[in-house]
């Protein structure tokens, strides 16, 4: 939505400048973000809509191994998507990493008190 807040860690850092749908149905979103904000190269973003059926947490990362890492370890992206299970108050979901690493599975996150 145009003029919707852009938030990082609960702090407003800008707003949506424009939003449109491309011919291939991808969202084209232009953000107006505080120019003093220095975002790392591996920064990712999520677009949350009020129509989302379930609250979720999506996280991504970029793994850059050290020079002395084993040969099968190379730079790769990983992703995890967790949905809130309101009955058990946990986040449940799947994760995966680089294709040839065959690392994938399910995770359940619970609050430790």
């Amino acid at each position: 939505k145009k003029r919707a807040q852009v938030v990082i860690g609960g702090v407003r850092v800008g707003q949506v400048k424009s939003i449109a749908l491309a011919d291939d149905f991808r969202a084209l979103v232009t953000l107006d973000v505080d120019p003093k904000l220095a975002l790392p190269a591996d920064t990712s973003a999520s677009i949350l809509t009020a129509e989302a059926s379930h609250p979720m947490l999506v996280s991504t990362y970029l793994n850059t191994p050290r020079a002395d890492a084993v040969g099968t370890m190379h730079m790769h992206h990983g992703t995890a998507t967790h949905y809130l299970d309101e009955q058990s108050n946990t986040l449940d979901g799947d994760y995966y990493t680089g294709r040839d690493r065959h690392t994938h599975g399910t995770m359940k996150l619970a609050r430790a008190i």
Side-chain angles (χ1 to χ4, degrees), residues 54-82:
H54 295 16
M56 71 174 120
L57 169 67
V58 178
S59 57
T60 61
Y61 69 87
L62 174 62
N63 180 299
T64 49
R66 298 186 325 241
D68 62 349
V70 296
T72 57
M73 179 64 80
H74 57 277
M75 185 171 71
H76 65 275
H77 293 271
T79 301
T81 304
H82 295 87

Side-chain angles (χ1 to χ4, degrees), residues 1 16 46 57 63 71 94 98:
K1 180 175 169 182
V16 174
S46 297
L57 169 67
N63 180 299
D94 303 314

Side-chain angles (χ1 to χ4, degrees), residues 39-105:
L39 297 173
D42 64 347
T43 299
S44 64
S46 297
I47 298 173
L48 305 176
T49 65
E51 293 81 22
S53 59
H54 295 16
M56 71 174 120
L57 169 67
V58 178
S59 57
T60 61
Y61 69 87
L62 174 62
N63 180 299
T64 49
R66 298 186 325 241
D68 62 349
V70 296
T72 57
M73 179 64 80
H74 57 277
M75 185 171 71
H76 65 275
H77 293 271
T79 301
T81 304
H82 295 87
Y83 295 92
L84 178 63
D85 179 338
E86 294 186 38
Q87 297 236 274
S88 64
N89 202 25
T90 60
L91 292 169
D92 301 323
D94 303 314
Y95 70 91
Y96 74 91
T97 61
R99 288 185 187 124
D100 60 337
R101 299 199 62 215
H102 305 289
T103 308
H104 55 88

